[in-house]
Amino acid sequence: MAAAAQRERLLSWLVALALCAAPARALIDGLYCGADVCYDVLGVTRHATKAEIARAYRQLARRFHPDRFRPGAAEPPGETRRSAEEKFLLVATAYETLKDEDSRRDYDYMLDHPEEYYRHYYAYYRRRLAPKVDVRLVILVTICAISAFQYYSWHSSYNEAISYLVTVPRYRIQATEIARQQGLLSRGREKGKNRRSKEEIREQEEEVIRDIIKNKIDIKGGYQKPNVSDLLLCQVLLLPYHLSSYLAWNLSWIYRFTVCRQEYGDPEKLYIIRRYMKMSQSQFDSLDEKLRESFLEKRLWIRENYEVYKQEQEEEMKVKMATDPRMKRYRRWMKNEGPGRLTFIDD
Ligand SMILES: *[C@@H]1O[C@H](CO)[C@@H](O)[C@H](O)[C@H]1NC(C)=O
Ligand SMILES: *[C@@H]1O[C@H](CO)[C@@H](O)[C@H](O)[C@H]1NC(C)=O
């Protein structure tokens, strides 16, 4: 159940916002070459041979070697001692990653499958820690690293969303209104020595508006407020608890409704309907309240009713597809051009 919730969170889509989802990042800070592609660091292509990689590494390592920065030595142009040291380390990391065939295979896999980030963390730490370290410790380190990554990336997506919302006039105006009502915008009240500069006042107002938007808005999907209990580490720790509470809930269900033949209450009815519709809890929750009530009115928790309803929905969809001009255009396009050809007709 915890894994399902985790997946749900990762796959959950943006409901309240029309922001484009950030693409899955292939490159993760802290793994391999961080935000850089190891191949680019060495200036080689993905098809480079081992010998080419070694040659590129030797050239770059020589160029950025700390010894070149001894007093009196000729520095590589445009580098300070510090930046050269960083480059030297990065070049060494890139070489470490690519010189070994297994490690290179893991890395290529990561570039091609950015979404499987649990796996990349595990592959990374297994290669660095095992077999010197117990595999259980490798798993623990992996889980902690993933949790840190989740925490960081959830925070930055959330802040990104808030920074975006602050610029949307509709939210900005509402937030300013609330701030004014609460007396949080103290423009022009101060006199004398304590008067702050215009810049300071503006910054503070910005901060107030941001806070109000944070508190008032309920962002759902991938940009929601980060919640520590969703981190992988907490999910793993809470797994026994989640499992046992699920078991207890399931058993009580069987006892109440199968053994004692009690009537279903509304939450149970909605649960059954959601199961029929194969929706996650958050998807179902984001449906319109009225729509959910209409499910109850139609008594959809009874299988036969649900089947009839589903049939109706499918029919309606077919009619829509047949009459919607956009769908007509799409079908014509499929017939004439087919999906095989790439066209850029702005339809
Ligand atoms: C975090 O999630 C848990 C369980 O999903 C929930 O009970 C709790 O209220 C959430 N906390 C915050 C601060 O949203
Ligand atoms: C209880 O668990 C069984 C086995 O996993 C499952 O088939 C059943 O649907 C569960 N009951 C409820 C109410 O979810």
Side-chain angles (χ1 to χ4, degrees), residues 25 29 146-159 226 231:
R25 279 194 316 172
D29 286 334
I146 289 175
S147 302
F149 165 72
Q150 289 177 324
Y151 189 75
Y152 171 77
S153 58
W154 291 347
H155 254 281
S156 40
S157 327
Y158 176 67
N159 284 333
L231 292 179

Side-chain angles (χ1 to χ4, degrees), residues 236-256:
V236 169
L237 293 177
L238 291 174
L239 189 62
Y241 167 74
H242 284 317
L243 278 180
S244 49
S245 52
Y246 175 69
L247 196 65
W249 175 79
N250 194 313
L251 289 178
S252 96
W253 181 290
I254 293 172
Y255 176 75
R256 284 188 296 161

Side-chain angles (χ1 to χ4, degrees), residues 23-28 32 37-39 45-47 98 103-117 119-120:
R25 279 194 316 172
L27 301 165
I28 303 171
Y32 305 107
V37 179
C38 290
Y39 290 103
T45 67
R46 272 190 67 171
H47 308 291
L98 299 180
S103 158
R104 184 170 173 183
R105 203 175 320 121
D106 283 348
Y107 187 68
D108 285 346
Y109 189 84
M110 174 167 120
L111 293 181
D112 294 335
H113 302 86
E115 67 291 348
E116 296 175 26
Y117 71 100
R119 185 178 165 149
H120 308 322

Side-chain angles (χ1 to χ4, degrees), residues 16-183:
L17 280 176
L19 275 178
C20 298
R25 279 194 316 172
L27 301 165
I28 303 171
D29 286 334
L31 294 196
Y32 305 107
C33 303
D36 295 298
V37 179
C38 290
Y39 290 103
D40 295 347
V41 169
L42 292 181
V44 295
T45 67
R46 272 190 67 171
H47 308 291
T49 62
K50 265 179 118 161
E52 283 165 348
I53 288 173
R55 198 175 326 123
Y57 165 67
R58 275 196 305 273
Q59 275 177 7
L60 289 169
R62 224 175 294 135
R63 188 159 144 222
F64 294 113
H65 198 281
D67 280 357
R68 300 200 59 170
F69 286 87
R70 270 188 311 226
E75 293 183 10
E79 297 289 342
T80 63
R81 190 190 169 97
R82 233 191 115 77
S83 76
E85 261 172 25
E86 275 165 14
K87 285 218 175 112
F88 183 73
L89 283 179
L90 189 61
V91 165
T93 308
Y95 182 55
E96 276 299 306
T97 305
L98 299 180
K99 77 173 179 195
D100 178 70
E101 251 167 56
D102 289 336
S103 158
R104 184 170 173 183
R105 203 175 320 121
D106 283 348
Y107 187 68
D108 285 346
Y109 189 84
M110 174 167 120
L111 293 181
D112 294 335
H113 302 86
E115 67 291 348
E116 296 175 26
Y117 71 100
Y118 282 19
R119 185 178 165 149
H120 308 322
Y121 272 98
Y122 181 68
Y124 181 84
Y125 287 106
R126 195 198 50 205
R127 202 162 291 296
R128 265 146 202 79
L129 300 176
K132 273 172 272 165
V133 176
D134 191 329
V135 80
R136 280 168 297 184
L137 192 62
V138 175
I139 291 175
L140 181 67
V141 169
T142 304
I143 290 175
C144 290
I146 289 175
S147 302
F149 165 72
Q150 289 177 324
Y151 189 75
Y152 171 77
S153 58
W154 291 347
H155 254 281
S156 40
S157 327
Y158 176 67
N159 284 333
E160 221 174 84
I162 295 291
S163 299
Y164 166 72
L165 289 178
V166 170
T167 65
V168 176
R170 188 155 65 92
Y171 297 115
R172 223 190 142 77
I173 291 168
Q174 280 178 25
T176 314
E177 192 51 39
I178 293 170
R180 202 159 287 136
Q181 277 166 15
Q182 297 180 351

Side-chain angles (χ1 to χ4, degrees), residues 267-317:
E268 285 82 19
K269 289 174 183 167
L270 286 172
Y271 172 78
I272 296 173
I273 295 168
R274 180 167 76 76
R275 287 268 303 252
Y276 287 162
M277 294 187 166
K278 298 193 175 70
M279 280 192 189
S280 72
Q281 185 70 55
S282 58
Q283 277 173 325
F284 195 73
D285 286 346
S286 68
L287 295 179
D288 194 47
E289 180 80 41
K290 289 214 184 74
L291 187 60
R292 273 178 287 163
E293 272 166 22
S294 79
F295 294 161
L296 291 179
E297 279 160 21
K298 293 192 180 112
R299 304 169 65 82
L300 295 189
W301 67 93
I302 300 166
R303 185 97 222 179
E304 294 80 57
N305 294 352
Y306 177 71
E307 293 298 341
V308 172
Y309 171 79
K310 197 174 141 198
Q311 205 75 41
E312 278 169 14
Q313 289 291 308
E314 277 166 10
E315 287 300 319
E316 205 172 296
M317 195 65 193

